[in-house]
Amino acid sequence: MDLKKLSSFLEKEGVPPFRLKQVRDALYKSFAGSWDEVAALPAPLREKLKGEFRFRSVEPAETQVSKKGGAVKFAFGLKDGHLIETVLLNLLPEKWSLCVSTQVGCPVRCPFCATGRKGLKRNLSQEEITDQFLAAAAYLRKSSGQKINSVIFMGMGEPFYNYDSVAEAIRAMSDPERIGLGQRHISVSTAGHVPGIRRFAKDFPQCNLAVSLHASEDVLRNELVPLNRQYPLSQLAKALNDYIFSTRRRVFVEYVLLDGINNSRSQAAKLNSWLRSVAAPKYFTVNLIPYNRTGGPYKAPAKDRVKVFAGLMEEFGFEVTVRKSLGDDIAGACGQLAGK
Ligand code: SAH
Ligand code: SF4
């Protein structure tokens, strides 16, 4: 909901300011799902507000619960008819992480990603990003009484092509008066948008940065992450080095494993040298993501080949994690979000 508009509306109507605080608390603290659930307001005011303000800018169109457990995917309808997808992930017992979208579609068009296939439809507003959180938090509270512990900007879209709205949404999520998550519980994943990384280092040095690398040579990266043609590896290396130097934070390096394309021993060695050219291994966590099917020509490596690649990176001195493909039965795993 646009609280600025609500605030001026209430003022115009001569409603005392504590009513705004009641709406705020109902939205951000109790995760009310509709005007009817804002019980503190007198009924006539609630009725008036119903006519003037949509409670949320995103409306759940479909909710799918993974049979394998650990993931819930929401399809949300937007005012103009587009659909976006958002995924709740249960990575640790009773710890939920929410993967939010920042754009309808994505202009980067990585060939292995379902979101990129359709190109960009439009950016999401700050409100549409924050409301994904509020709607998912309301669902989780109702279904299990649990809370969302962290947010990852890893759904549909390249967050730094929509920097201002993403920044406003991070502020809403981390402001103690609103959602109140610690910035250390917020992570943004970029395909390597260099000016965005530089702004993010200044604006949110406490948040986590993840970079989708996928290749450490320009020829292959141009193909896998077409944004590399605009911001090649040399520029990305410089931006990451500056980021690490100014924030003293580690960077999460995402590396999708595509069998026969980027997972050979020599490519692991190249990844090692490229990362070392940026900073010491202690500044990185290498997060390997075995390819999730999205149609098209790619294949996930067999489990033992994933182990070999992970083992090599560990021997080179890096912390390595292999991402679980939670939600792949409901097309809710990395790269499978399509929307409309
Ligand atoms: N656009 C941003 C964030 C969203 S994608 C980015 O690219 O960083 C989140 C992660 O999923 C990225 O690392 C992305 O490269 C990866 N991904 C995309 N398609 C995938 C697929 N089919 N299988 C596995 N990972 C995929
Ligand atoms: Fe866009 Fe990320 Fe998908 Fe690439 S992987 S097309 S940047 S959403």
Side-chain angles (χ1 to χ4, degrees):
M1 189 184 317
D2 189 333
L3 285 177
K4 279 192 197 127
K5 272 195 202 144
L6 178 67
S7 164
S8 42
F9 178 79
L10 292 176
E11 207 177 309
K12 224 172 48 213
E13 296 282 311
V15 176
F18 73 92
R19 295 288 179 207
L20 180 66
K21 171 140 179 27
Q22 288 177 326
V23 175
R24 240 180 134 106
D25 286 351
L27 265 179
Y28 295 123
K29 306 283 181 222
S30 342
F31 304 127
S34 66
W35 281 114
D36 290 326
E37 291 177 27
V38 191
L41 295 183
L45 177 58
R46 245 181 0 228
E47 287 309 312
K48 189 176 253 176
L49 289 173
K50 258 188 214 172
E52 296 284 334
F53 289 89
R54 256 170 78 119
F55 199 74
R56 283 203 215 297
S57 57
V58 306
E59 300 278 355
E62 194 186 2
T63 304
Q64 286 173 274
V65 181
S66 166
K67 291 204 174 58
K68 290 163 45 178
V72 180
K73 181 171 86 167
F74 306 93
F76 288 122
L78 309 179
K79 267 181 257 175
D80 59 2
H82 285 305
L83 272 187
I84 52 165
E85 296 184 325
T86 307
V87 189
L88 260 175
L89 297 163
N90 191 196
L91 299 170
L92 295 166
E94 306 221 342
K95 293 246 189 262
W96 289 89
S97 195
L98 186 70
C99 177
V100 296
S101 292
T102 57
Q103 299 184 306
V104 183
C106 181
V108 179
R109 291 180 170 269
C110 306
F112 49 83
C113 170
T115 305
R117 197 154 302 147
K118 292 185 193 128
L120 177 70
K121 299 278 170 22
R122 72 167 170 87
N123 277 338
L124 296 182
S125 66
Q126 170 300 113
E127 198 188 344
E128 287 166 333
I129 300 171
T130 308
D131 280 354
Q132 293 171 59
F133 182 99
L134 297 176
Y139 168 90
L140 196 57
R141 184 186 54 116
K142 279 203 183 109
S143 62
S144 68
Q146 295 181 24
K147 284 191 172 166
I148 298 173
N149 298 86
S150 59
V151 173
I152 50 180
F153 287 76
M154 289 188 191
M156 298 164 57
E158 163 51 46
F160 291 158
Y161 268 138
N162 187 13
Y163 191 94
D164 292 336
S165 298
V166 166
E168 275 307 303
I170 294 176
R171 290 191 186 104
M173 289 171 187
S174 55
D175 176 0
E177 294 283 302
R178 288 181 278 172
I179 293 170
L181 280 180
Q183 291 201 351
R184 302 232 164 183
H185 294 266
I186 298 176
S187 307
V188 176
S189 172
T190 175
H193 189 282
V194 165
I197 293 172
R198 294 192 179 284
R199 278 180 84 180
F200 188 69
K202 280 210 193 83
D203 295 347
F204 301 106
Q206 303 291 320
C207 290
N208 303 302
L209 176 70
V211 175
S212 299
L213 196 64
H214 309 326
S216 14
E217 292 166 290
D218 281 319
V219 177
L220 181 58
R221 196 163 190 273
N222 282 345
E223 188 191 316
L224 296 182
V225 187
L227 190 62
N228 194 70
R229 294 178 200 155
Q230 206 173 337
Y231 306 113
L233 283 162
S234 56
Q235 282 190 37
L236 183 59
K238 184 85 186 62
L240 291 180
N241 176 276
D242 290 347
Y243 173 88
I244 290 167
F245 190 74
S246 68
T247 64
R248 295 277 149 203
R249 315 257 3 244
R250 66 171 50 224
V251 170
F252 295 82
V253 175
E254 295 162 289
Y255 196 96
V256 62
L257 290 172
L258 305 168
D259 199 36
I261 309 274
N262 67 352
N263 66 335
S264 69
R265 283 172 181 273
S266 69
Q267 282 160 323
K270 280 192 183 124
L271 177 57
N272 168 46
S273 349
W274 189 81
L275 290 175
R276 279 170 184 269
S277 78
V278 175
K282 67 172 181 188
Y283 286 112
F284 298 104
T285 295
V286 176
N287 188 204
L288 302 175
I289 320 176
Y291 169 66
N292 295 308
R293 298 234 306 261
T294 55
Y298 299 105
K299 265 191 8 220
K303 277 207 173 108
D304 54 334
R305 300 203 56 175
V306 174
K307 269 201 184 144
V308 170
F309 200 94
L312 284 169
M313 293 313 295
E314 271 168 356
E315 275 170 37
F316 290 133
F318 294 90
E319 180 179 281
V320 180
T321 56
V322 177
R323 193 170 302 172
K324 287 190 212 158
S325 59
L326 287 178
D328 56 353
D329 60 329
I330 50 173
C334 285
Q336 293 184 322
L337 304 184
K340 256 188 215 152

